[in-house]
Amino acid sequence: MAEPLPAPQLGTLTWQPAAEHLDLLGAPVAAAVASLTEPVWVAAIDDDAADTAAFTDVYEVPLTASANCVVVAARRSAQTTMAACLVLATTRADVNGLVRRHLGARKASFAPQDVAVAESGMAYGGITPIGLPADWPVLVDAAVAASDLVVIGSGTRGSKLAVPGKVLAALPGAEVLEGLGQPVD
């Protein structure tokens, strides 16, 4: 049997194998963890520190090691496509440009909070690409896919996941896009 991988050293958090701590994950995320290509890690956090700026301040995880998942509603005629965009926390998703064109939409915008929560089955502030509905495109910025390890949501506000970028690039429905994450002005 293979030796277990050592826990990552990211910030001040105590990381544990996510597959052994499913109670820390949102239900859709917990259901999807077993299908991942490599182990991922989970750390419990304070719900009030789930938003990126607070999280990086409180737990000393660099912004460059964090990624944000935003839910987009792309519309063409009467058809709406939900999609997830995963970009480094130092960037913002190019929703009105690259995302709109890539999805073949006339209009693309951030999904309303209540729609994002209802459609994903995850808590706002904890929505993550792992465990999303199978028909959602998961657009992953190339910089995220190239990361050794990136911190993302866990489906709840009470924990975070540390995941290799290549695992995120291999998710069902995932497409790696160069330039998805644009520098923040």
Side-chain angles (χ1 to χ4, degrees):
M1 187 165 161
E3 229 5 74
L5 293 173
Q9 299 296 309
L10 276 169
T12 59
L13 295 163
T14 301
W15 296 96
Q16 305 171 80
E20 296 172 17
H21 299 277
L22 299 177
D23 59 308
L24 292 175
L25 309 176
V29 180
V33 162
S35 66
L36 297 178
T37 57
E38 291 188 28
V40 299
W41 304 90
V42 66
I45 65 167
D46 183 330
D47 288 12
D48 294 333
D51 295 329
T52 304
F55 171 76
T56 57
D57 285 346
V58 171
Y59 297 106
E60 301 175 17
V61 173
L63 271 178
T64 54
S66 298
N68 291 326
C69 181
V70 295
V71 178
V72 173
R75 293 181 250 330
R76 181 174 198 88
S77 301
Q79 174 98 15
T80 299
T81 300
M82 301 298 287
C85 300
L86 191 63
V87 298
L88 291 177
T90 55
T91 65
R92 60 178 167 71
D94 184 9
V95 173
N96 291 312
L98 182 62
V99 173
R100 181 186 57 75
R101 288 190 306 274
H102 185 77
L103 296 175
R106 206 173 99 281
K107 182 179 179 189
S109 58
F110 295 109
Q113 179 178 333
D114 58 333
V115 172
V117 168
E119 296 287 326
S120 70
M122 300 180 200
Y124 190 75
I127 295 175
T128 190
I130 298 170
L132 287 174
D135 61 341
W136 284 27
V138 176
L139 309 179
V140 180
D141 184 72
V144 172
S147 297
D148 287 337
L149 207 58
V150 67
V151 177
I152 60 174
S154 65
T156 75
R157 291 183 62 84
S159 65
K160 292 285 186 180
L161 290 172
V163 183
K166 63 184 174 183
V167 170
L168 297 167
L171 288 172
E175 298 177 67
V176 177
L177 299 178
E178 193 70 48
L180 176 61
Q182 295 292 303
V184 177
D185 298 330

